[in-house]
Amino acid sequence: MDTVFKFISPNNSSQIPLNMALKTAHITRVPNLDHVSNVSTFNTFHQNHHDDNDNDNVKKPKGEFMVIGHRGTGMNLLQSPDPRMKVVKENSILAFNTAGKYNLDYIEFDVQVTKDDCPIIFHDNFIFTEEKGVLIGKRVTEMNLDEFLSYGPQRDPNKVGKPLFRQIKDGRIFEWKVEKDDHLCTLEEVLQKVNHSQGFNIEFKFDDNIVYKEEELVRVIQFVLCIVNKYAKNRPIYFSSFQPDAALLTRKLQSTYPVFFLTNGGVETYTDARRNSLDEALKLCTTGGLNGIVAEVRSILRNPGVIKRIKDLKLRLISYGQLK
């Protein structure tokens, strides 16, 4: 059975209900990718299911597609003039529960581990605040939990959090202002406070500019797995990571949940050759026992024949990115 996953941000749907905004097509019904039209405004996930021998807990689709919310209701683009990019704080409990109202099948979010071993939900490597007119940035993984949670809105209404800022790719820094704000949170809180029928895609977030030793990767993964094993119950979950060794170790350290390797398939170039092509990504999956790849859509469009290879290898393909 071939299924098409749609991955969109509700914030980007022009307020149209998701079940009305989506278009989808079976891969087997599409002679080539040029026949898939009118999806340029959406990010998409395409997933091939091979149900005969599946022993993972990826929730099977109710229809022809499943919907996955990126960081909940979508990432915050603070530099964008589009107010839809700044509605709900990304990677927050509010974002996840808001996304759940759209009947999403999965919610994707980023997990890192603090210096005192607590898995937290946060995308960026650094967090910024302003003190006496000076912007100060700290690496998230070098902070204790209490310090991390002291940024932004506070749970205790009697406390005032540090002003929260974000640095974007070009180096500019913006105050993190959104219409509906929420406090920073931990993985434990998310597993307990978001509806248990809601599927999670937990992405292990690591810094692309750091060469990690295996023991550090294992430390992070094990603390995350400890929380997941304690609080996940029967929630559908799958893991993913751009870090090749992290993906392999996640598979090695547990067999309950599917593991996907994230790759942009050569759209950008990295020191680690395993990240630089779809061929390398597929090799990593087959040798490491991973369930499939999450590929930047442009890498698929450059080589659509790879879809057949992925199906022949009985792997799953998820794509992300915009069809522009």
Side-chain angles (χ1 to χ4, degrees), residues 76-146:
N76 297 145
L77 295 178
L78 304 178
Q79 71 276 24
S80 174
D82 188 342
R84 293 175 299 176
M85 302 296 105
K86 293 169 280 190
V87 177
V88 182
K89 171 71 74 60
E90 69 173 52
N91 272 337
S92 67
I93 293 173
L94 176 61
F96 302 152
N97 282 325
T98 301
K101 295 177 183 178
Y102 289 92
N103 196 31
L104 304 186
D105 296 280
Y106 282 87
I107 291 171
E108 180 269 352
F109 55 80
D110 309 277
V111 172
Q112 302 185 60
V113 173
T114 60
K115 186 178 179 180
D116 53 347
D117 305 327
C118 183
I120 56 171
I121 313 300
F122 199 73
H123 173 272
D124 300 357
N125 297 316
F126 291 87
I127 191 169
F128 288 81
T129 192
E130 185 179 48
E131 295 181 7
K132 298 180 180 180
V134 178
L135 290 170
I136 300 173
K138 291 188 177 182
R139 184 177 290 278
V140 172
T141 54
E142 294 178 355
M143 304 170 72
N144 288 329
L145 176 63
D146 287 346

Side-chain angles (χ1 to χ4, degrees), residues 13-14 51 62 65 70 79 82 121 167 212 249 253 272 290 296 311:
S13 63
S14 303
D51 293 9
K62 298 185 287 287
F65 60 84
H70 185 218
Q79 71 276 24
D82 188 342
I121 313 300
Q167 186 175 47
Y212 291 90
L249 286 167
L253 292 170
D272 191 329
L290 306 184
E296 214 279 0
K311 293 171 70 174

Side-chain angles (χ1 to χ4, degrees), residues 159-172:
K159 290 184 178 180
V160 177
K162 298 177 183 177
L164 182 60
F165 289 75
R166 169 177 243 176
Q167 186 175 47
I168 63 175
K169 284 187 176 182
D170 64 12
R172 289 181 294 162

